[in-house]
Amino acid sequence: MTEPLDVLVVGAGPTGLALAAQLRAYGLTFRIIDRSLDLAHESRALAIQPRTLEALASLGLADELVARGNQAVQLRMHLPRRVLSLPLFDIGCDDTPYPFLLFLSQAETEDVLGGRLAERGTELLKLTAEGDGVVCVVRRGDGTEEEVRARYVVGCDGAHSTVRAQAGIAFEGRAYPQTFLLADLEVDGLEAGAAHAYLTDAGMLFFFPLGSPASWRMLAMRPPDAPDGDIDLGQLQEITDRYVGEELRLRDPVWMTVFRLHNRGAAHYRSGRVFLAGDSAHIHSPAGAQGMNTGIQDALNLGWKLAAVCRGNGTEELLDSYEAERAPVGRTVLRFTDRAFTIGTSRHPVIRLARNRLAPLLAPLALRSTRLRGAGFRTLSELGIHYRRSPASVAGPHAPRRGPRAGDRLPDLPRGLQDHTAIPGWHLLLAGQDVIWPERSLDAVTRGRAGLLTVHWIGPECPWPGGPVHGLVRPDGYFGYVASGTDMAGLCAYLDRWLPTG
């Protein structure tokens, strides 16, 4: 009998591919399968948030994504009788090397993440827990079936997840009544270099800059009185004329589709040796460009934990922290996108009045508030996500009151700090001026962890003002442990629990 895989990844969209890239970086044995026969060729998800780029930097993927993408820095909000220009991420993002929203088609994103690694046309039929693993039956494109054994299975297979259904995990929520239209095409008369939002009594219409496979992505809500069925260019032009007037001419569509939106979340992200990530765990409206980014960050939270356990450097308790950390993030995204979608689409007279009449009057005032804009950008960029309540986040003795805490992401302040942790593994940051770190304590920390833990002396140029601080950065760029002083007894206890040597 062949040795079981460490991980079988089901679904080769951005979430599954990000997970596979991380598993490969840690040297695990895995397969990634997808029932579709080919890579995505259309744009689908198209915006990559700053936090996602940070997370992918440790895998050497962020620079290529940035090189291929479009760093749109302006949003034009077309309101009745005026156009508001809103800079994207101009404040609140000074602690990241990626202070922008990157527009890039999903096809390009999947290519950078390693889309050619997936076994296309291979479908999961059944999975069964058996002893210390999972037995899976898959069907190849030629119709033959194969039995695959893996220590763990991760379902990244979308809203209609076979993995979720086989694991018996409920998918709770509802579908929205509205119908939406998507298209990648060319648009004459539209200012380049910006995203455009038209908010009118008739409905909402958005144009996002792409570049490839077409210059623009169009997203529109189908008017209630419009006919159902497939969409064509003529119908898209009619909707544009209705929402905007005759200023814009649409042409040369590459891809068009009609779709409905849902707001649903998995009751659990784990069932034994089976995990869910991305759309198989949560689906919602595209408000705020959160979906693909949340999925990729699900994957990168889970991947290093699977690697630690499979390599004998972690326990099942570490895997339990995946749901404890990512499920609250998923629930927050579901709430946020549901509220934004409801406000943007409601036909209720009061909400329509607030959206179409009051919002244009109040928006300029809100935009003048740097605090409001900064908080909003911090949320959208996902830089504000933290795991302070996770069992894997521990504040040590005299933890500093200023600067990042246990559970917070590592900021890139001073600039270049994230470069210290740009390789897979755990990283210990020793901060402070003219500090002598006890050699015996450092030996106790690093003993038996060669290749797993790297120590960095970063001196006084650090995120914490004041005296000596030591902070342990997890492989996903979040602090697991932070304490003041040079006594590392608490750090040793933390490592014995979360990164044991044997």
Side-chain angles (χ1 to χ4, degrees):
M1 181 182 297
T2 59
E3 286 292 317
L5 299 168
D6 289 321
V7 184
L8 175 65
V9 182
V10 183
T15 298
L17 292 172
L19 177 60
Q22 192 177 45
L23 298 177
R24 181 172 59 175
Y26 280 96
L28 267 63
T29 60
F30 69 92
R31 287 171 64 178
I32 176 170
I33 64 173
D34 196 291
R35 58 190 167 204
S36 64
L37 295 174
D38 200 0
L39 292 161
H41 295 288
E42 59 278 348
S43 59
R44 299 185 187 175
L46 76 160
I48 305 178
Q49 300 287 357
R51 178 56 197 149
T52 302
L53 290 171
E54 287 184 351
L56 292 171
S58 66
L59 300 177
L61 300 172
D63 289 346
E64 179 65 20
L65 291 168
V66 171
R68 296 194 189 194
N70 182 353
Q71 300 176 31
V73 295
Q74 290 285 328
L75 171 66
R76 301 285 190 264
M77 295 183 64
H78 299 260
L79 303 170
R81 296 179 296 279
R82 69 183 306 176
V83 177
L84 292 178
S85 294
L86 174 64
L88 293 176
F89 301 165
D90 62 325
I91 57 175
C93 297
D94 57 347
D95 63 347
T96 177
Y98 309 101
F100 48 80
L101 182 64
L102 185 72
F103 285 97
L104 184 65
S105 76
Q106 183 171 326
E108 294 271 5
T109 299
E110 291 183 4
D111 186 54
V112 173
L113 293 178
R116 302 293 173 185
L117 295 175
E119 300 175 31
R120 298 285 170 180
T122 302
E123 179 181 9
L124 174 70
L125 300 179
K126 183 180 180 181
L127 61 82
T128 307
E130 186 176 286
D132 57 356
V134 185
V135 178
C136 303
V137 178
V138 303
R139 181 168 56 206
R140 301 191 189 95
D142 61 6
T144 59
E145 295 185 3
E146 176 189 3
E147 188 176 90
V148 179
R149 295 175 178 268
R151 295 179 65 179
Y152 299 96
V153 174
V154 183
C156 306
D157 48 343
H160 304 288
S161 171
T162 301
V163 173
R164 188 184 62 238
Q166 287 285 314
I169 299 175
F171 203 40
E172 302 161 345
R174 62 190 177 94
Y176 294 111
Q178 297 87 350
T179 302
F180 285 81
L181 314 172
L182 280 181
D184 295 342
L185 38 60
E186 303 300 321
V187 183
D188 295 329
L190 194 61
E191 177 193 359
H196 297 267
Y198 295 85
L199 307 178
T200 71
D201 289 337
M204 296 187 304
L205 174 63
F206 298 89
F207 291 99
F208 301 102
L210 271 181
S212 174
S215 298
W216 295 97
R217 149 67 67 85
M218 174 182 175
L219 169 62
M221 186 171 68
R222 174 179 267 168
D225 57 354
D228 293 332
D230 294 336
I231 196 72
D232 58 32
L233 183 62
Q235 291 172 301
L236 291 177
Q237 185 66 62
E238 289 178 8
I239 291 172
T240 302
D241 292 344
R242 182 172 179 177
Y243 288 3
V244 180
E246 298 182 357
E247 306 168 10
L248 307 179
R249 304 309 303 171
L250 312 183
R251 59 181 175 85
D252 302 329
V254 175
W255 172 68
M256 298 179 288
T257 191
V258 180
F259 69 101
R260 296 278 300 278
L261 293 174
H262 295 251
N263 187 277
R264 301 183 189 277
H268 300 285
Y269 283 28
R270 180 185 186 185
S271 176
R273 292 179 171 270
V274 177
F275 296 84
L276 303 177
D279 285 356
S280 65
H282 41 73
I283 56 172
H284 42 79
S285 88
Q290 302 294 293
M292 179 183 70
N293 293 275
T294 304
I296 290 175
Q297 291 177 50
D298 285 346
L300 299 183
N301 181 288
L302 176 61
W304 69 269
K305 296 174 181 179
L306 288 170
V309 173
C310 289
R311 294 167 60 179
N313 305 122
T315 67
E316 288 294 317
E317 186 181 17
L318 183 61
L319 293 179
D320 288 337
S321 73
Y322 169 64
E323 180 168 342
E325 293 175 353
R326 294 305 298 175
V329 174
R331 289 192 293 268
T332 298
V333 171
L334 288 173
R335 288 194 300 269
F336 164 74
T337 55
D338 183 56
R339 289 169 184 168
F341 180 85
T342 300
I343 292 171
T345 62
S346 176
R347 308 297 294 178
H348 191 282
V350 175
I351 297 179
R352 289 181 64 187
L353 175 66
R355 181 181 68 224
N356 300 327
R357 303 301 179 196
L358 296 181
L361 297 175
L362 297 177
L365 298 177
L367 294 179
R368 292 175 192 164
S369 170
T370 56
R371 175 175 293 184
L372 286 177
R373 287 217 323 275
F377 295 157
R378 198 86 184 159
T379 298
L380 290 176
S381 67
E382 303 190 352
L383 295 173
I385 291 174
H386 65 80
Y387 306 133
R388 292 176 183 173
R389 297 182 179 179
S390 167
S393 299
V394 177
H398 312 293
R401 295 183 178 181
R402 291 192 293 168
R405 298 155 54 184
D408 290 351
R409 61 175 267 280
L410 171 69
D412 195 45
L413 283 179
R415 186 68 67 213
L417 181 60
Q418 289 184 1
D419 288 341
H420 289 288
T421 62
I423 58 173
W426 296 72
H427 299 266
L428 175 60
L429 306 184
L430 305 178
Q433 188 171 11
D434 299 327
V435 180
I436 298 176
W437 299 92
E439 185 173 341
R440 180 179 299 177
S441 296
L442 289 176
D443 287 343
V445 167
T446 58
R447 187 181 305 117
R449 299 186 175 95
L452 302 173
L453 173 63
T454 306
V455 180
H456 308 270
W457 287 264
I458 60 175
E461 295 296 321
C462 68
W464 304 281
V469 175
H470 53 283
L472 182 68
V473 182
R474 308 180 335 177
D476 57 353
Y478 288 85
F479 283 100
Y481 181 90
V482 177
S484 294
T486 60
D487 184 351
M488 296 190 182
L491 175 62
C492 289
Y494 179 93
L495 289 169
D496 287 343
R497 179 180 178 185
W498 298 105
L499 186 61
T501 57

